[in-house]
mmCIF file of all heavy atoms in Angstrom:
data_model
loop_
_atom_site.group_PDB
_atom_site.id
_atom_site.type_symbol
_atom_site.label_atom_id
_atom_site.label_comp_id
_atom_site.label_asym_id
_atom_site.label_seq_id
_atom_site.Cartn_x
_atom_site.Cartn_y
_atom_site.Cartn_z
ATOM 1 N N MET A 1 107.580 108.524 94.201
ATOM 2 C CA MET A 1 108.982 109.039 94.179
ATOM 3 C C MET A 1 109.497 109.311 95.570
ATOM 4 O O MET A 1 110.668 109.182 95.861
ATOM 5 C CB MET A 1 108.960 110.349 93.331
ATOM 6 C CG MET A 1 110.314 110.911 93.157
ATOM 7 S SD MET A 1 111.320 109.819 92.112
ATOM 8 C CE MET A 1 112.837 110.681 92.124
ATOM 9 N N LYS A 2 108.550 109.716 96.498
ATOM 10 C CA LYS A 2 108.965 110.026 97.851
ATOM 11 C C LYS A 2 109.567 108.806 98.568
ATOM 12 O O LYS A 2 110.495 108.948 99.384
ATOM 13 C CB LYS A 2 107.791 110.539 98.695
ATOM 14 C CG LYS A 2 107.549 111.983 98.599
ATOM 15 C CD LYS A 2 106.478 112.379 99.607
ATOM 16 C CE LYS A 2 106.297 113.865 99.626
ATOM 17 N NZ LYS A 2 105.300 114.289 100.595
ATOM 18 N N GLY A 3 109.053 107.633 98.260
ATOM 19 C CA GLY A 3 109.557 106.412 98.896
ATOM 20 C C GLY A 3 110.962 106.031 98.439
ATOM 21 O O GLY A 3 111.673 105.314 99.095
ATOM 22 N N LEU A 4 111.357 106.569 97.297
ATOM 23 C CA LEU A 4 112.650 106.245 96.706
ATOM 24 C C LEU A 4 113.771 107.170 97.221
ATOM 25 O O LEU A 4 114.939 106.831 97.217
ATOM 26 C CB LEU A 4 112.548 106.312 95.175
ATOM 27 C CG LEU A 4 113.685 105.698 94.340
ATOM 28 C CD1 LEU A 4 113.840 104.216 94.642
ATOM 29 C CD2 LEU A 4 113.414 105.898 92.899
ATOM 30 N N LEU A 5 113.405 108.322 97.707
ATOM 31 C CA LEU A 5 114.392 109.333 98.145
ATOM 32 C C LEU A 5 115.307 108.842 99.252
ATOM 33 O O LEU A 5 116.526 109.058 99.177
ATOM 34 C CB LEU A 5 113.712 110.668 98.486
ATOM 35 C CG LEU A 5 113.196 111.412 97.269
ATOM 36 C CD1 LEU A 5 112.499 112.700 97.744
ATOM 37 C CD2 LEU A 5 114.282 111.752 96.296
ATOM 38 N N PRO A 6 114.752 108.185 100.291
ATOM 39 C CA PRO A 6 115.685 107.721 101.367
ATOM 40 C C PRO A 6 116.741 106.694 100.823
ATOM 41 O O PRO A 6 117.878 106.723 101.160
ATOM 42 C CB PRO A 6 114.788 107.108 102.398
ATOM 43 C CG PRO A 6 113.487 107.735 102.185
ATOM 44 C CD PRO A 6 113.362 108.010 100.755
ATOM 45 N N TRP A 7 116.268 105.853 99.947
ATOM 46 C CA TRP A 7 117.159 104.855 99.359
ATOM 47 C C TRP A 7 118.258 105.500 98.550
ATOM 48 O O TRP A 7 119.427 105.145 98.635
ATOM 49 C CB TRP A 7 116.371 103.894 98.477
ATOM 50 C CG TRP A 7 115.518 102.953 99.250
ATOM 51 C CD1 TRP A 7 114.216 103.145 99.582
ATOM 52 C CD2 TRP A 7 115.882 101.668 99.803
ATOM 53 N NE1 TRP A 7 113.753 102.069 100.304
ATOM 54 C CE2 TRP A 7 114.753 101.181 100.451
ATOM 55 C CE3 TRP A 7 117.060 100.933 99.759
ATOM 56 C CZ2 TRP A 7 114.795 99.966 101.119
ATOM 57 C CZ3 TRP A 7 117.076 99.725 100.440
ATOM 58 C CH2 TRP A 7 115.939 99.240 101.071
ATOM 59 N N LEU A 8 117.843 106.504 97.744
ATOM 60 C CA LEU A 8 118.854 107.206 96.940
ATOM 61 C C LEU A 8 119.797 108.030 97.794
ATOM 62 O O LEU A 8 121.015 108.093 97.487
ATOM 63 C CB LEU A 8 118.167 108.115 95.923
ATOM 64 C CG LEU A 8 117.366 107.385 94.813
ATOM 65 C CD1 LEU A 8 116.638 108.395 93.972
ATOM 66 C CD2 LEU A 8 118.290 106.537 93.959
ATOM 67 N N GLY A 9 119.302 108.589 98.879
ATOM 68 C CA GLY A 9 120.160 109.345 99.780
ATOM 69 C C GLY A 9 121.180 108.448 100.465
ATOM 70 O O GLY A 9 122.374 108.814 100.545
ATOM 71 N N VAL A 10 120.797 107.279 100.917
ATOM 72 C CA VAL A 10 121.722 106.371 101.546
ATOM 73 C C VAL A 10 122.718 105.881 100.526
ATOM 74 O O VAL A 10 123.935 105.773 100.828
ATOM 75 C CB VAL A 10 120.978 105.199 102.203
ATOM 76 C CG1 VAL A 10 121.952 104.131 102.676
ATOM 77 C CG2 VAL A 10 120.169 105.692 103.439
ATOM 78 N N LEU A 11 122.276 105.539 99.309
ATOM 79 C CA LEU A 11 123.184 105.110 98.269
ATOM 80 C C LEU A 11 124.202 106.193 97.961
ATOM 81 O O LEU A 11 125.413 105.912 97.843
ATOM 82 C CB LEU A 11 122.414 104.748 97.006
ATOM 83 C CG LEU A 11 123.226 104.296 95.810
ATOM 84 C CD1 LEU A 11 123.996 103.005 96.136
ATOM 85 C CD2 LEU A 11 122.340 104.101 94.600
ATOM 86 N N ALA A 12 123.771 107.446 97.860
ATOM 87 C CA ALA A 12 124.739 108.519 97.583
ATOM 88 C C ALA A 12 125.701 108.692 98.704
ATOM 89 O O ALA A 12 126.932 108.906 98.478
ATOM 90 C CB ALA A 12 123.914 109.843 97.371
ATOM 91 N N LEU A 13 125.241 108.563 99.966
ATOM 92 C CA LEU A 13 126.146 108.701 101.110
ATOM 93 C C LEU A 13 127.171 107.580 101.131
ATOM 94 O O LEU A 13 128.348 107.824 101.326
ATOM 95 C CB LEU A 13 125.318 108.688 102.406
ATOM 96 C CG LEU A 13 126.084 108.738 103.688
ATOM 97 C CD1 LEU A 13 126.848 110.042 103.766
ATOM 98 C CD2 LEU A 13 125.197 108.547 104.896
ATOM 99 N N VAL A 14 126.714 106.373 100.843
ATOM 100 C CA VAL A 14 127.650 105.237 100.834
ATOM 101 C C VAL A 14 128.685 105.417 99.744
ATOM 102 O O VAL A 14 129.895 105.173 99.945
ATOM 103 C CB VAL A 14 126.896 103.917 100.662
ATOM 104 C CG1 VAL A 14 127.829 102.728 100.414
ATOM 105 C CG2 VAL A 14 126.106 103.629 101.975
ATOM 106 N N LEU A 15 128.254 105.825 98.537
ATOM 107 C CA LEU A 15 129.199 106.040 97.468
ATOM 108 C C LEU A 15 130.164 107.179 97.773
ATOM 109 O O LEU A 15 131.362 107.076 97.454
ATOM 110 C CB LEU A 15 128.415 106.333 96.173
ATOM 111 C CG LEU A 15 127.698 105.170 95.578
ATOM 112 C CD1 LEU A 15 126.852 105.654 94.363
ATOM 113 C CD2 LEU A 15 128.629 104.048 95.119
ATOM 114 N N LEU A 16 129.676 108.233 98.429
ATOM 115 C CA LEU A 16 130.576 109.331 98.765
ATOM 116 C C LEU A 16 131.618 108.851 99.773
ATOM 117 O O LEU A 16 132.804 109.178 99.654
ATOM 118 C CB LEU A 16 129.717 110.482 99.347
ATOM 119 C CG LEU A 16 130.538 111.691 99.845
ATOM 120 C CD1 LEU A 16 131.209 112.364 98.687
ATOM 121 C CD2 LEU A 16 129.636 112.640 100.612
ATOM 122 N N LEU A 17 131.157 108.173 100.846
ATOM 123 C CA LEU A 17 132.105 107.691 101.845
ATOM 124 C C LEU A 17 133.108 106.713 101.242
ATOM 125 O O LEU A 17 134.297 106.739 101.571
ATOM 126 C CB LEU A 17 131.351 106.986 102.953
ATOM 127 C CG LEU A 17 130.514 107.928 103.845
ATOM 128 C CD1 LEU A 17 129.684 107.113 104.820
ATOM 129 C CD2 LEU A 17 131.376 108.890 104.609
ATOM 130 N N SER A 18 132.688 105.899 100.297
ATOM 131 C CA SER A 18 133.621 104.977 99.675
ATOM 132 C C SER A 18 134.609 105.734 98.808
ATOM 133 O O SER A 18 135.773 105.381 98.799
ATOM 134 C CB SER A 18 132.819 103.981 98.813
ATOM 135 O OG SER A 18 133.672 103.056 98.237
ATOM 136 N N ALA A 19 134.167 106.772 98.118
ATOM 137 C CA ALA A 19 135.070 107.552 97.282
ATOM 138 C C ALA A 19 136.098 108.323 98.147
ATOM 139 O O ALA A 19 137.204 108.581 97.704
ATOM 140 C CB ALA A 19 134.286 108.544 96.445
ATOM 141 N N LEU A 20 135.693 108.694 99.330
ATOM 142 C CA LEU A 20 136.577 109.398 100.252
ATOM 143 C C LEU A 20 137.467 108.413 101.075
ATOM 144 O O LEU A 20 138.105 108.843 102.008
ATOM 145 C CB LEU A 20 135.779 110.279 101.179
ATOM 146 C CG LEU A 20 135.061 111.458 100.558
ATOM 147 C CD1 LEU A 20 134.195 112.143 101.588
ATOM 148 C CD2 LEU A 20 136.034 112.415 99.947
ATOM 149 N N ARG A 21 137.471 107.181 100.689
ATOM 150 C CA ARG A 21 138.242 106.103 101.320
ATOM 151 C C ARG A 21 137.882 105.887 102.770
ATOM 152 O O ARG A 21 138.739 105.641 103.597
ATOM 153 C CB ARG A 21 139.729 106.416 101.175
ATOM 154 C CG ARG A 21 140.223 106.627 99.750
ATOM 155 C CD ARG A 21 141.511 105.927 99.498
ATOM 156 N NE ARG A 21 142.051 106.248 98.162
ATOM 157 C CZ ARG A 21 141.716 105.589 97.062
ATOM 158 N NH1 ARG A 21 140.910 104.590 97.110
ATOM 159 N NH2 ARG A 21 142.268 105.920 95.900
ATOM 160 N N MET A 22 136.571 106.025 103.017
ATOM 161 C CA MET A 22 136.063 105.743 104.358
ATOM 162 C C MET A 22 135.154 104.473 104.283
ATOM 163 O O MET A 22 134.009 104.500 104.651
ATOM 164 C CB MET A 22 135.219 106.935 104.871
ATOM 165 C CG MET A 22 136.024 108.185 105.069
ATOM 166 S SD MET A 22 134.947 109.472 105.665
ATOM 167 C CE MET A 22 136.086 110.785 105.988
ATOM 168 N N ARG A 23 135.773 103.453 103.718
ATOM 169 C CA ARG A 23 135.000 102.244 103.474
ATOM 170 C C ARG A 23 134.455 101.569 104.696
ATOM 171 O O ARG A 23 133.303 101.079 104.683
ATOM 172 C CB ARG A 23 135.815 101.261 102.642
ATOM 173 C CG ARG A 23 135.936 101.712 101.198
ATOM 174 C CD ARG A 23 136.624 100.768 100.321
ATOM 175 N NE ARG A 23 136.688 101.258 98.968
ATOM 176 C CZ ARG A 23 137.713 101.925 98.452
ATOM 177 N NH1 ARG A 23 138.765 102.205 99.199
ATOM 178 N NH2 ARG A 23 137.658 102.401 97.220
ATOM 179 N N PRO A 24 135.134 101.562 105.832
ATOM 180 C CA PRO A 24 134.520 100.962 107.041
ATOM 181 C C PRO A 24 133.273 101.722 107.477
ATOM 182 O O PRO A 24 132.281 101.128 107.881
ATOM 183 C CB PRO A 24 135.638 101.068 108.109
ATOM 184 C CG PRO A 24 136.895 101.082 107.344
ATOM 185 C CD PRO A 24 136.596 101.823 106.066
ATOM 186 N N LEU A 25 133.297 103.043 107.379
ATOM 187 C CA LEU A 25 132.132 103.836 107.715
ATOM 188 C C LEU A 25 131.016 103.596 106.700
ATOM 189 O O LEU A 25 129.840 103.501 107.059
ATOM 190 C CB LEU A 25 132.484 105.341 107.765
ATOM 191 C CG LEU A 25 131.392 106.276 108.234
ATOM 192 C CD1 LEU A 25 130.876 105.868 109.595
ATOM 193 C CD2 LEU A 25 131.876 107.698 108.268
ATOM 194 N N ALA A 26 131.352 103.499 105.397
ATOM 195 C CA ALA A 26 130.359 103.194 104.416
ATOM 196 C C ALA A 26 129.694 101.864 104.654
ATOM 197 O O ALA A 26 128.460 101.687 104.490
ATOM 198 C CB ALA A 26 130.979 103.226 102.982
ATOM 199 N N THR A 27 130.511 100.881 105.082
ATOM 200 C CA THR A 27 129.976 99.550 105.399
ATOM 201 C C THR A 27 129.062 99.639 106.604
ATOM 202 O O THR A 27 127.967 99.025 106.611
ATOM 203 C CB THR A 27 131.133 98.585 105.698
ATOM 204 O OG1 THR A 27 131.978 98.528 104.520
ATOM 205 C CG2 THR A 27 130.612 97.171 106.002
ATOM 206 N N ALA A 28 129.435 100.410 107.584
ATOM 207 C CA ALA A 28 128.608 100.563 108.791
ATOM 208 C C ALA A 28 127.249 101.236 108.432
ATOM 209 O O ALA A 28 126.206 100.758 108.894
ATOM 210 C CB ALA A 28 129.320 101.365 109.857
ATOM 211 N N VAL A 29 127.303 102.204 107.602
ATOM 212 C CA VAL A 29 126.061 102.893 107.163
ATOM 213 C C VAL A 29 125.168 101.922 106.437
ATOM 214 O O VAL A 29 123.951 101.823 106.613
ATOM 215 C CB VAL A 29 126.369 104.151 106.326
ATOM 216 C CG1 VAL A 29 125.123 104.679 105.642
ATOM 217 C CG2 VAL A 29 127.020 105.202 107.174
ATOM 218 N N SER A 30 125.777 101.139 105.522
ATOM 219 C CA SER A 30 125.014 100.155 104.722
ATOM 220 C C SER A 30 124.353 99.108 105.619
ATOM 221 O O SER A 30 123.172 98.782 105.439
ATOM 222 C CB SER A 30 125.913 99.462 103.712
ATOM 223 O OG SER A 30 126.463 100.358 102.833
ATOM 224 N N LEU A 31 125.126 98.584 106.597
ATOM 225 C CA LEU A 31 124.541 97.556 107.475
ATOM 226 C C LEU A 31 123.514 98.134 108.402
ATOM 227 O O LEU A 31 122.527 97.476 108.674
ATOM 228 C CB LEU A 31 125.691 96.948 108.260
ATOM 229 C CG LEU A 31 126.642 96.056 107.467
ATOM 230 C CD1 LEU A 31 127.788 95.580 108.331
ATOM 231 C CD2 LEU A 31 125.931 94.905 106.801
ATOM 232 N N ALA A 32 123.657 99.380 108.818
ATOM 233 C CA ALA A 32 122.694 100.029 109.686
ATOM 234 C C ALA A 32 121.384 100.229 108.874
ATOM 235 O O ALA A 32 120.266 100.004 109.401
ATOM 236 C CB ALA A 32 123.199 101.327 110.225
ATOM 237 N N TRP A 33 121.505 100.644 107.627
ATOM 238 C CA TRP A 33 120.303 100.843 106.799
ATOM 239 C C TRP A 33 119.606 99.536 106.539
ATOM 240 O O TRP A 33 118.376 99.422 106.611
ATOM 241 C CB TRP A 33 120.711 101.515 105.466
ATOM 242 C CG TRP A 33 119.617 101.722 104.559
ATOM 243 C CD1 TRP A 33 119.402 101.081 103.392
ATOM 244 C CD2 TRP A 33 118.550 102.681 104.666
ATOM 245 N NE1 TRP A 33 118.259 101.576 102.792
ATOM 246 C CE2 TRP A 33 117.720 102.548 103.551
ATOM 247 C CE3 TRP A 33 118.203 103.626 105.644
ATOM 248 C CZ2 TRP A 33 116.544 103.343 103.380
ATOM 249 C CZ3 TRP A 33 117.060 104.397 105.482
ATOM 250 C CH2 TRP A 33 116.262 104.266 104.324
ATOM 251 N N LEU A 34 120.382 98.477 106.268
ATOM 252 C CA LEU A 34 119.799 97.149 106.051
ATOM 253 C C LEU A 34 119.079 96.700 107.318
ATOM 254 O O LEU A 34 117.956 96.168 107.263
ATOM 255 C CB LEU A 34 120.854 96.180 105.662
ATOM 256 C CG LEU A 34 120.431 94.727 105.454
ATOM 257 C CD1 LEU A 34 119.449 94.626 104.299
ATOM 258 C CD2 LEU A 34 121.618 93.812 105.238
ATOM 259 N N ALA A 35 119.698 96.863 108.495
ATOM 260 C CA ALA A 35 119.079 96.428 109.756
ATOM 261 C C ALA A 35 117.766 97.201 110.009
ATOM 262 O O ALA A 35 116.773 96.621 110.406
ATOM 263 C CB ALA A 35 120.040 96.644 110.896
ATOM 264 N N TRP A 36 117.775 98.509 109.706
ATOM 265 C CA TRP A 36 116.561 99.289 109.881
ATOM 266 C C TRP A 36 115.465 98.864 108.943
ATOM 267 O O TRP A 36 114.283 98.734 109.341
ATOM 268 C CB TRP A 36 116.891 100.789 109.641
ATOM 269 C CG TRP A 36 115.733 101.658 109.911
ATOM 270 C CD1 TRP A 36 115.350 102.150 111.158
ATOM 271 C CD2 TRP A 36 114.759 102.159 108.961
ATOM 272 N NE1 TRP A 36 114.194 102.903 111.008
ATOM 273 C CE2 TRP A 36 113.825 102.939 109.677
ATOM 274 C CE3 TRP A 36 114.643 101.990 107.593
ATOM 275 C CZ2 TRP A 36 112.770 103.553 109.066
ATOM 276 C CZ3 TRP A 36 113.579 102.629 106.980
ATOM 277 C CH2 TRP A 36 112.635 103.396 107.687
ATOM 278 N N CYS A 37 115.824 98.585 107.731
ATOM 279 C CA CYS A 37 114.802 98.095 106.756
ATOM 280 C C CYS A 37 114.218 96.743 107.174
ATOM 281 O O CYS A 37 113.016 96.538 107.140
ATOM 282 C CB CYS A 37 115.406 98.012 105.362
ATOM 283 S SG CYS A 37 115.800 99.579 104.630
ATOM 284 N N VAL A 38 115.082 95.869 107.602
ATOM 285 C CA VAL A 38 114.605 94.532 108.066
ATOM 286 C C VAL A 38 113.724 94.702 109.308
ATOM 287 O O VAL A 38 112.658 94.108 109.403
ATOM 288 C CB VAL A 38 115.772 93.592 108.330
ATOM 289 C CG1 VAL A 38 115.314 92.330 109.012
ATOM 290 C CG2 VAL A 38 116.478 93.235 106.997
ATOM 291 N N TRP A 39 114.167 95.564 110.222
ATOM 292 C CA TRP A 39 113.379 95.779 111.477
ATOM 293 C C TRP A 39 111.991 96.320 111.113
ATOM 294 O O TRP A 39 111.003 95.885 111.677
ATOM 295 C CB TRP A 39 114.105 96.701 112.382
ATOM 296 C CG TRP A 39 113.269 97.133 113.578
ATOM 297 C CD1 TRP A 39 112.811 98.380 113.774
ATOM 298 C CD2 TRP A 39 112.799 96.312 114.591
ATOM 299 N NE1 TRP A 39 112.085 98.388 114.930
ATOM 300 C CE2 TRP A 39 112.016 97.133 115.461
ATOM 301 C CE3 TRP A 39 112.899 94.954 114.930
ATOM 302 C CZ2 TRP A 39 111.393 96.629 116.616
ATOM 303 C CZ3 TRP A 39 112.286 94.479 116.058
ATOM 304 C CH2 TRP A 39 111.540 95.322 116.877
ATOM 305 N N THR A 40 111.887 97.276 110.238
ATOM 306 C CA THR A 40 110.600 97.878 109.913
ATOM 307 C C THR A 40 109.726 96.879 109.151
ATOM 308 O O THR A 40 108.533 96.984 109.166
ATOM 309 C CB THR A 40 110.731 99.134 109.069
ATOM 310 O OG1 THR A 40 111.469 98.855 107.886
ATOM 311 C CG2 THR A 40 111.445 100.212 109.857
ATOM 312 N N TRP A 41 110.310 95.899 108.531
ATOM 313 C CA TRP A 41 109.569 94.919 107.773
ATOM 314 C C TRP A 41 109.023 93.804 108.651
ATOM 315 O O TRP A 41 107.910 93.341 108.497
ATOM 316 C CB TRP A 41 110.461 94.316 106.667
ATOM 317 C CG TRP A 41 109.743 93.347 105.768
ATOM 318 C CD1 TRP A 41 108.601 93.581 105.062
ATOM 319 C CD2 TRP A 41 110.103 91.974 105.518
ATOM 320 N NE1 TRP A 41 108.243 92.454 104.364
ATOM 321 C CE2 TRP A 41 109.173 91.465 104.652
ATOM 322 C CE3 TRP A 41 111.170 91.170 105.970
ATOM 323 C CZ2 TRP A 41 109.232 90.155 104.199
ATOM 324 C CZ3 TRP A 41 111.220 89.906 105.520
ATOM 325 C CH2 TRP A 41 110.285 89.390 104.614
ATOM 326 N N ILE A 42 109.855 93.368 109.658
ATOM 327 C CA ILE A 42 109.443 92.227 110.454
ATOM 328 C C ILE A 42 108.830 92.615 111.835
ATOM 329 O O ILE A 42 108.281 91.721 112.506
ATOM 330 C CB ILE A 42 110.635 91.247 110.731
ATOM 331 C CG1 ILE A 42 111.698 91.921 111.566
ATOM 332 C CG2 ILE A 42 111.155 90.712 109.429
ATOM 333 C CD1 ILE A 42 112.759 90.972 112.072
ATOM 334 N N ARG A 43 108.932 93.810 112.257
ATOM 335 C CA ARG A 43 108.444 94.187 113.555
ATOM 336 C C ARG A 43 106.949 93.978 113.641
ATOM 337 O O ARG A 43 106.220 94.153 112.647
ATOM 338 C CB ARG A 43 108.787 95.609 113.915
ATOM 339 C CG ARG A 43 107.982 96.621 113.194
ATOM 340 C CD ARG A 43 108.259 98.050 113.660
ATOM 341 N NE ARG A 43 107.525 98.951 112.792
ATOM 342 C CZ ARG A 43 107.799 100.216 112.692
ATOM 343 N NH1 ARG A 43 108.795 100.706 113.337
ATOM 344 N NH2 ARG A 43 107.058 100.957 111.890
ATOM 345 N N PRO A 44 106.436 93.604 114.776
ATOM 346 C CA PRO A 44 105.024 93.367 114.903
ATOM 347 C C PRO A 44 104.249 94.716 114.839
ATOM 348 O O PRO A 44 104.723 95.714 115.285
ATOM 349 C CB PRO A 44 104.863 92.710 116.262
ATOM 350 C CG PRO A 44 106.091 93.117 117.013
ATOM 351 C CD PRO A 44 107.193 93.309 116.002
ATOM 352 N N THR A 45 103.094 94.654 114.228
ATOM 353 C CA THR A 45 102.294 95.859 114.145
ATOM 354 C C THR A 45 101.650 96.125 115.503
ATOM 355 O O THR A 45 101.297 95.149 116.210
ATOM 356 C CB THR A 45 101.219 95.704 113.082
ATOM 357 O OG1 THR A 45 100.419 94.569 113.388
ATOM 358 C CG2 THR A 45 101.775 95.598 111.704
ATOM 359 N N ARG A 46 101.520 97.335 115.866
ATOM 360 C CA ARG A 46 100.921 97.673 117.154
ATOM 361 C C ARG A 46 99.426 97.866 116.946
ATOM 362 O O ARG A 46 98.991 98.774 116.231
ATOM 363 C CB ARG A 46 101.572 98.954 117.711
ATOM 364 C CG ARG A 46 103.065 98.751 117.997
ATOM 365 C CD ARG A 46 103.661 100.003 118.528
ATOM 366 N NE ARG A 46 105.101 99.786 118.688
ATOM 367 C CZ ARG A 46 105.899 100.709 119.167
ATOM 368 N NH1 ARG A 46 105.459 101.878 119.473
ATOM 369 N NH2 ARG A 46 107.179 100.445 119.308
ATOM 370 N N ARG A 47 98.702 97.087 117.634
ATOM 371 C CA ARG A 47 97.246 97.138 117.520
ATOM 372 C C ARG A 47 96.674 97.528 118.857
ATOM 373 O O ARG A 47 97.098 97.072 119.908
ATOM 374 C CB ARG A 47 96.671 95.787 117.111
ATOM 375 C CG ARG A 47 97.129 95.377 115.733
ATOM 376 C CD ARG A 47 96.465 94.104 115.330
ATOM 377 N NE ARG A 47 97.004 93.667 114.002
ATOM 378 C CZ ARG A 47 96.976 92.489 113.555
ATOM 379 N NH1 ARG A 47 96.421 91.505 114.278
ATOM 380 N NH2 ARG A 47 97.449 92.171 112.377
ATOM 381 N N GLY A 48 95.734 98.414 118.795
ATOM 382 C CA GLY A 48 95.054 98.863 120.077
ATOM 383 C C GLY A 48 94.133 97.771 120.580
ATOM 384 O O GLY A 48 93.761 96.829 119.880
ATOM 385 N N PRO A 49 93.739 97.888 121.836
ATOM 386 C CA PRO A 49 92.800 96.902 122.433
ATOM 387 C C PRO A 49 91.430 97.001 121.762
ATOM 388 O O PRO A 49 90.967 98.060 121.374
ATOM 389 C CB PRO A 49 92.756 97.304 123.918
ATOM 390 C CG PRO A 49 93.193 98.686 123.937
ATOM 391 C CD PRO A 49 94.124 98.907 122.801
ATOM 392 N N ARG A 50 90.761 95.880 121.665
ATOM 393 C CA ARG A 50 89.435 95.867 121.019
ATOM 394 C C ARG A 50 88.349 95.779 122.057
ATOM 395 O O ARG A 50 88.374 95.219 123.033
ATOM 396 C CB ARG A 50 89.311 94.665 120.109
ATOM 397 C CG ARG A 50 90.222 94.810 118.901
ATOM 398 C CD ARG A 50 90.007 93.686 117.980
ATOM 399 N NE ARG A 50 90.839 93.936 116.757
ATOM 400 C CZ ARG A 50 90.619 93.354 115.632
ATOM 401 N NH1 ARG A 50 89.640 92.504 115.505
ATOM 402 N NH2 ARG A 50 91.366 93.615 114.616
#
């Protein structure tokens, strides 16, 4: 459940911003969240020297 909370929080924020007619800001938040998720998925893992 803990892993789902950030997703639900961002979804709630985007829906709130959209309801308040702040759609450009909602779009920016959505794109920033998407970029962060993609970055954390594709970034190289940091390995220490062997």
